[in-house]
Amino acid sequence: MNLSEQPQKALVIFSGGQDSTTCLFQAIKEFGKENVEVVTFQYGQRHAIELEKAEWIAKDVGVKQTLIDTSVIKAITTNALMQEGAEIQQEGDKPNTFVDGRNALFLLYAGIYAKGQDISTIYTGVCETDFSGYPDCRDVFVKSMNVTMNLAMDYNFNIRTPLMYLTKKETWKLADELGVFDYIREHTHTCYLGVERGCHTCPSCVLREKGLNEYLAEREKKDV
């Protein structure tokens, strides 16, 4: 089999949360489960339960998972997402859970790994519609990172962001269309405080639950 005949593969940046799990099932739909891998990052997050969820889901779905330790970032930046006991609050236009450079680091390391596995397509669940104001969730950032990685490694990466312009309600709708609405609702973790099934108050829980309630209300209207 020559290179042109080899099956295309995809890598998903995977946290075990709603968005990355939706991206995982989107990738499986497009590439087939046997051609999809996930990469998960341990960066010192206080909600380490997401690592357990990510491992469980990867095993349950049957895809290869690679865990990458990037916790060195704790030595050079401080934020509420990595500081145990810190109060989560809004600081200007974004909450203090923003981790400087996190998504840039994730994409770079994912790209290094992907190239070594002959994978060019990378999925990430970032979104600039319903989000917490993180600058590294914007489309302009992802596109610039895609160009930078292509130049840095002389490789044709294709970073996909299927949720970029979806509201959280629309993300739940996509999960429903993929046939995994109940699975994602039951098994994914989003809470910044690491509370099983959510604290209902942190920015991540608020966004998730608001979108879920909006979608359920819309679905009920259609069923009437």
Side-chain angles (χ1 to χ4, degrees):
M1 180 184 291
N2 60 43
L3 290 176
S4 63
E5 294 173 330
Q6 290 180 357
Q8 295 295 306
K9 298 186 289 184
L11 180 70
V12 181
I13 296 177
F14 185 62
S15 71
Q18 174 193 358
D19 294 342
S20 65
T21 306
T22 302
C23 287
L24 171 58
F25 284 107
Q26 181 71 52
I28 288 173
K29 179 182 178 182
E30 293 187 35
F31 288 81
K33 184 171 65 175
E34 66 279 5
N35 298 315
V36 174
E37 296 185 28
V38 300
V39 62
T40 301
F41 293 95
Q42 197 290 104
Y43 59 94
Q45 59 268 54
R46 62 195 280 187
H47 54 309
I49 185 176
E50 74 173 8
L51 299 174
E52 299 171 14
K53 296 290 186 181
E55 180 182 15
W56 187 91
I57 293 170
K59 287 180 179 178
D60 186 62
V61 173
V63 295
K64 178 183 176 183
Q65 181 193 35
T66 298
L67 181 66
I68 299 178
D69 187 347
T70 57
S71 57
V72 66
I73 197 172
K74 291 185 71 174
I76 56 176
T77 187
T78 302
N79 54 78
L81 204 59
M82 300 189 299
Q83 187 177 348
E84 199 67 42
E87 181 182 353
I88 294 176
Q89 56 190 10
Q90 196 74 15
E91 292 184 349
D93 58 352
K94 57 183 178 293
N96 61 353
T97 49
F98 174 61
V99 182
D100 284 311
R102 181 180 60 169
N103 284 340
L105 193 65
F106 286 2
L107 286 168
L108 177 61
Y109 274 70
I112 294 169
Y113 175 81
K115 183 180 179 182
Q117 304 299 312
D118 295 320
I119 298 172
S120 59
T121 300
I122 300 173
Y123 283 81
T124 179
V126 297
C127 167
E128 68 171 42
T129 305
D130 266 359
F131 75 134
S132 298
Y134 295 170
D136 60 0
C137 288
R138 296 175 298 172
D139 185 60
V140 65
F141 160 73
V142 176
K143 282 185 167 59
S144 69
M145 194 68 186
N146 202 151
V147 172
T148 297
M149 287 166 54
N150 289 0
L151 293 172
M153 288 180 260
D154 192 23
Y155 194 75
N156 189 28
F157 292 106
N158 174 25
I159 302 176
R160 294 196 185 181
T161 55
L163 312 183
M164 180 58 73
Y165 297 112
L166 300 186
T167 63
K168 273 292 181 285
K169 180 184 78 171
E170 292 167 335
T171 300
W172 282 110
K173 180 181 179 182
L174 175 59
D176 210 0
E177 292 170 349
L178 291 168
V180 292
F181 175 85
D182 291 332
Y183 187 95
I184 288 177
R185 188 177 182 182
E186 178 69 23
H187 297 299
T188 62
H189 177 85
T190 302
C191 178
Y192 283 159
L193 298 181
V195 177
E196 184 78 29
R197 298 191 177 278
C199 69
H200 313 297
T201 58
C202 75
S204 188
C205 280
V206 170
L207 281 173
R208 173 181 172 128
E209 292 173 14
K210 176 176 178 289
L212 174 61
N213 291 332
E214 288 175 350
Y215 179 62
L216 288 175
E218 179 181 276
R219 197 168 67 171
E220 286 177 8
K221 286 182 180 179
K222 290 182 180 180
D223 292 339
V224 173

